[in-house]
Amino acid sequence: MNLSIVQYGDPVIRSKGARIEKIDDRIRELAQNMIETMHEANGVGLAAQQIGEPLQLAVLDVSQVEDRPSIMKLNGQDVDPAGAMPLVLINPEVALGNETDTGTEGCLSFPEITGEISRSKSIVVRGQDLEGNAIEIETTGFLARAIQHEVDHLNGILFIDRMSSAAKMGLSSRLKRLQKETQRGLKHRQRAIAETTL
């Protein structure tokens, strides 16, 4: 099921996700719907906040990204990142490597806005999969960047928060416009809901 993607300006996007204590059918269905939504939107990652659910849940799929390679170990074994996709991360915690590089990032919650963001080149992420098994992923390259972006979302941090002040300043009018449009849409939705419940 294709879900609506929340855009910048909706307060849920700044929410820190609640830890998922029980991986039940609702969580599994939510993850599946998030994967479909991400694919439909041609994204490489989607956090639960982006579909209005402040939970520690993110999905990723970098298998279609050929010009920015990734290297991946899953539970200590070398794996082909494309074969491990889509990836579901529940309650992820990231340990960042020391080396950083800068790369272009976009975000499904910020249509047509991109920025140069500095991230760690390599990371180790620990979390759970949909079966509740503990997983550990060591990765470098584009997957490392994508995971950092999504885990930031789970903590209420947006990629614009990681931009240089000059870059953010250059985007300020577009960001304000997006924020206003989103808030107008929210007010309209709230009015519609209020009218249907009267």
Side-chain angles (χ1 to χ4, degrees):
M1 180 176 147
N2 203 0
L3 306 168
S4 293
I5 296 175
V6 170
Q7 296 198 337
Y8 179 60
D10 188 319
V12 74
I13 209 138
R14 286 283 186 192
S15 306
K16 183 169 169 42
R19 188 176 169 78
I20 295 171
E21 301 301 341
K22 185 171 178 242
I23 301 166
D24 54 16
D25 288 345
R26 180 187 169 281
I27 295 296
R28 281 189 277 274
E29 185 182 350
L30 182 64
Q32 190 52 52
N33 290 339
M34 284 171 63
I35 290 167
E36 285 176 35
T37 302
M38 168 184 68
H39 285 152
E40 189 67 31
N42 296 315
V44 293
L46 191 65
Q49 279 80 344
Q50 292 178 277
I51 47 101
E53 295 268 0
L55 296 168
Q56 289 288 319
L57 168 65
V59 298
L60 296 108
D61 189 342
V62 299
S63 60
Q64 301 304 307
V65 180
E66 291 169 4
D67 59 335
R68 295 166 84 179
S70 305
I71 295 170
M72 177 182 177
K73 273 188 182 182
L74 179 60
N75 299 329
Q77 302 293 312
D78 288 322
V79 294
D80 172 14
M85 299 295 139
L87 200 56
V88 176
L89 293 176
I90 296 171
N91 304 322
E93 290 178 13
V94 173
L96 303 174
N98 294 329
E99 273 189 78
T100 60
D101 73 344
T102 300
T104 305
E105 287 184 27
C107 180
L108 294 175
S109 294
F110 292 79
E112 296 170 24
I113 292 175
T114 58
E116 293 299 305
I117 310 293
S118 179
R119 301 262 187 205
S120 289
K121 281 186 179 182
S122 63
I123 61 165
V124 177
V125 61
R126 293 178 183 89
Q128 292 165 282
D129 64 15
L130 277 179
E131 276 67 61
N133 302 316
I135 55 171
E136 181 181 277
I137 296 165
E138 289 174 68
T139 181
T140 59
F142 186 67
L143 180 58
R145 174 173 294 280
I147 289 174
Q148 289 172 78
H149 179 109
E150 297 313 323
V151 171
D152 269 358
H153 266 302
L154 300 183
N155 293 303
I157 300 164
L158 306 176
F159 84 125
I160 58 168
D161 301 337
R162 302 233 182 246
M163 284 180 187
S164 69
S165 15
K168 204 169 168 182
M169 200 68 179
L171 289 170
S172 68
S173 63
R174 287 170 74 187
L175 290 172
K176 277 183 190 144
R177 191 167 58 244
L178 178 58
Q179 207 168 17
K180 276 184 186 153
E181 284 169 12
T182 301
Q183 286 165 350
R184 245 196 324 270
L186 281 174
K187 282 183 189 147
H188 182 72
R189 266 202 313 277
Q190 286 163 345
R191 255 197 319 275
I193 290 167
E195 284 166 10
T196 57
T197 54
L198 292 177

